[in-house]
Amino acid sequence: MKKILGIVSSARRLGNCEIMVKEVFRNLAGPCELNLLRLTDFRIDPCRGCYHCLFKDGDCVIDDDCSTVLAAISSADALILAAPAYFLGAHSALKRFLDRGLSFYGEMDRMWGKPAVGVAVAGIPGMEGSTLLGIESFLKLILADIRQTQVVYGALPGEIFLDDGNRKVAQTLAHSLFGPKVSKSAPCCSLCGGDTFRFMGPHRVRCMLCSNAGTLHMENGAAVIEMEMADHQLFLTRQDVRNHKTWLIGMKERFMGMRKTLKPISVNYLKDGEWINPHSKTHGAIFEKDDEE
């Protein structure tokens, strides 16, 4: 029995993201069970950048639901992710969880290489913006193995399945989750499979998924991208993940050695400007008050 985790990055109950995840699951072959996780239901506070989790095997000092989400991902055999397009980008719940990524390293070996598929849902055809990139970034940075990603269109709850073609999309996603990985038809990064690039000048591009650079040229009327692997990688191999964790941990020693040089630079800006303060307490402070009561 394979344990499938459906991650829904939308607050809308029985909305297009939720039913797409469930439709993909319905098309899986073999004995599987589905657990569902709606990211917007969980309190995920901003990372404090304290690095405590790096030295304590992922144990974060923030008392919220991040560890619950992390445990659900770690214990699953495969992942199905769906997120809506909000103002030309993926729902912020994805990025809020990713910002806590320093704590992922404690679960690195359990998270590595889980097969995953992702769906971006946009209300207007062609107006998904960077949503698919956001989905692929999420899956890569939780160390999953992306088998396939797709974009579907529909604004009203259930509207995506007025188009039978989207049920076929769900079928192909399901077949690729444990079957052959679906190759992209468009030019893509040979290192990570990403197909979103930033143009940096004549014939130079940078992959927006893995951040490696490369060259672009035309052959027989088709675009050809040749990538160059930088020395520092985040997720291409399991060793890359370990190396980046080591680099992060080394930042503490580096900071301690440079703090006398760095502090005067920062302090020089201490009194510039006037801060605008919120009228209400911060999100974190509210929860602390509730916990005390």
Side-chain angles (χ1 to χ4, degrees), residues 140-288:
K140 282 291 187 183
L141 290 167
I142 62 170
L143 309 181
D145 175 19
I146 300 177
R147 310 300 296 172
Q148 187 184 11
T149 57
Q150 292 276 4
V151 181
V152 298
Y153 301 104
L156 303 177
E159 188 175 0
I160 56 169
F161 291 140
L162 292 179
D163 179 356
D164 286 338
N166 288 335
R167 292 191 187 275
K168 293 180 180 178
V169 169
Q171 291 174 6
T172 63
L173 288 166
H175 295 162
S176 64
L177 188 60
F178 295 116
K181 182 182 293 190
V182 175
S183 301
K184 295 183 177 180
S185 57
C188 61
C189 175
S190 58
L191 300 176
C192 73
D195 58 6
T196 305
F197 296 90
R198 178 163 62 89
F199 292 86
M200 303 187 298
H203 310 297
R204 295 292 295 174
V205 295
R206 185 177 300 281
C207 174
M208 292 291 92
L209 185 55
C210 69
S211 209
N212 286 292
T215 60
L216 170 68
H217 65 275
M218 303 297 293
E219 288 185 6
N220 301 321
V224 176
I225 296 173
E226 297 180 354
M227 299 303 298
E228 305 155 3
M229 186 182 296
D231 292 336
H232 194 127
Q233 300 295 326
L234 267 65
F235 52 65
L236 294 183
T237 68
R238 195 191 297 245
Q239 189 58 48
D240 291 334
V241 182
R242 294 193 180 102
N243 291 344
H244 187 60
K245 178 182 179 182
T246 300
W247 180 86
L248 288 167
I249 291 174
M251 287 298 98
K252 179 177 181 180
E253 183 177 348
R254 184 182 175 207
F255 173 73
M256 295 302 290
M258 295 183 64
R259 59 180 177 172
K260 290 183 179 180
T261 301
L262 297 173
K263 186 174 181 179
I265 298 174
S266 301
V267 170
N268 184 46
Y269 294 90
L270 180 62
K271 296 182 180 180
D272 289 25
E274 294 292 332
W275 289 100
I276 298 172
N277 296 312
H279 292 294
S280 59
K281 292 184 177 180
T282 64
H283 179 74
I286 291 173
F287 273 93
E288 288 170 6

Side-chain angles (χ1 to χ4, degrees), residues 2-6 25 28 32-35 76 78 80 177-178:
K2 294 185 182 296
K3 296 172 61 177
I4 311 300
L5 178 64
F25 175 77
L28 291 176
C32 298
E33 64 178 25
L34 177 65
N35 292 312
I80 305 170
L177 188 60
F178 295 116

